[in-house]
Amino acid sequence: GVSMDYSSLGDTVRAKIKKLIELISNPEVEPDTRRLNMEVLFRELGGAIYNKIFDMNAFDFDITDAKPQGIDDDMYYGMAKRASDAVSTGGKALLDQQIDTFIAVTIAKAQGDAYQIAMQTAKRPQIKRELVSETCNWCKDKVTHGWVSDPDSSLFSRHRDCDCRILTRGYRSRNGLLKNYVKPKDRS
């Protein structure tokens, strides 16, 4: 069957985010206005990423009526603050890492939330967590060595700069049907 590695979604939005941050970071704009615009950017962006990943997992896990929780306010407030601070201190490299972490944590939260709902509705989704590069002992302890059906929810956790791959698969991906993913607006 097919498994889903959702981390590539981050690659598609990363460049766009950086352009938006540059636009918002115009030094001629008041700092408070810049900060507020950053909050809007990361709330909307985080919400869009979360909803897309949640919906794809819900489709795969056959729980399309499930209601997503969404991202926590502190996630986008914190990211907006870090982005604003990086602009004023010139910490672009660090900001890039923080954006990557924000995207990865948002994706993992959506996967984890959908997974928990699937488990509560007696579906049998699976997770596999793999190391990507040299990493810390915390990540090494989270590696699953194959597919797991009843994981601890901490397998969806990430730390800053975590590049582990978190793959999920459910009813539709195991049957090769996820490639037929239908967006909610097109479902009958």
Side-chain angles (χ1 to χ4, degrees):
V2 177
S3 65
M4 295 304 296
D5 176 9
Y6 296 94
S7 58
S8 61
L9 180 81
D11 300 335
T12 63
V13 296
R14 190 174 293 107
K16 294 174 186 166
I17 296 169
K18 290 176 185 174
K19 278 199 167 57
L20 286 169
I21 288 173
E22 266 179 47
L23 288 170
I24 292 171
S25 302
N26 182 338
E28 294 172 22
V29 176
E30 287 292 317
D32 289 348
T33 305
R34 287 197 309 252
R35 177 75 152 275
L36 185 63
N37 287 332
M38 289 286 187
E39 286 175 10
V40 171
L41 167 65
F42 286 106
R43 181 184 68 224
E44 295 300 315
L45 177 77
I49 291 171
Y50 176 95
N51 288 335
K52 173 79 172 179
I53 299 299
F54 182 92
D55 188 68
M56 289 183 82
N57 276 272
F59 185 83
D60 184 20
F61 301 160
D62 202 24
I63 54 165
T64 51
D65 293 336
K67 296 288 175 259
Q69 287 181 319
I71 63 171
D72 302 324
D73 291 352
D74 61 339
M75 278 179 67
Y76 69 82
Y77 282 133
M79 191 59 226
K81 181 182 183 330
R82 289 189 294 278
S84 297
D85 292 350
V87 167
S88 56
T89 61
K92 266 179 118 55
L94 180 59
L95 180 58
D96 289 352
Q97 288 177 323
Q98 291 169 335
I99 291 169
D100 290 348
T101 299
F102 176 79
I103 293 169
V105 167
T106 301
I107 289 171
K109 181 175 183 344
Q111 287 176 288
D113 289 353
Y115 198 97
Q116 292 300 348
I117 293 169
M119 294 294 289
Q120 291 161 4
T121 57
K123 304 291 180 182
R124 304 306 303 162
Q126 296 177 319
I127 179 176
K128 180 171 23 172
R129 186 173 177 132
E130 303 172 334
L131 299 177
V132 172
S133 59
E134 283 299 309
T135 190
C136 64
N137 288 332
W138 185 84
C139 285
K140 288 176 185 163
D141 289 343
K142 301 274 181 229
V143 172
T144 60
H145 306 291
W147 290 100
V148 179
S149 289
D150 216 355
D152 184 273
S153 63
S154 72
L155 286 185
F156 292 99
S157 300
R158 290 188 175 277
H159 58 78
R160 194 164 95 197
D161 305 330
C162 177
D163 68 353
C164 291
R165 285 189 358 171
I166 300 174
L167 300 109
T168 54
R169 66 182 187 184
Y171 164 75
R172 288 189 165 99
S173 55
R174 281 199 291 270
N175 290 304
L177 301 175
L178 194 59
K179 63 181 178 284
N180 301 325
Y181 170 73
V182 179
K183 292 179 179 170
K185 65 179 177 53
D186 298 326
R187 292 179 195 152
S188 52

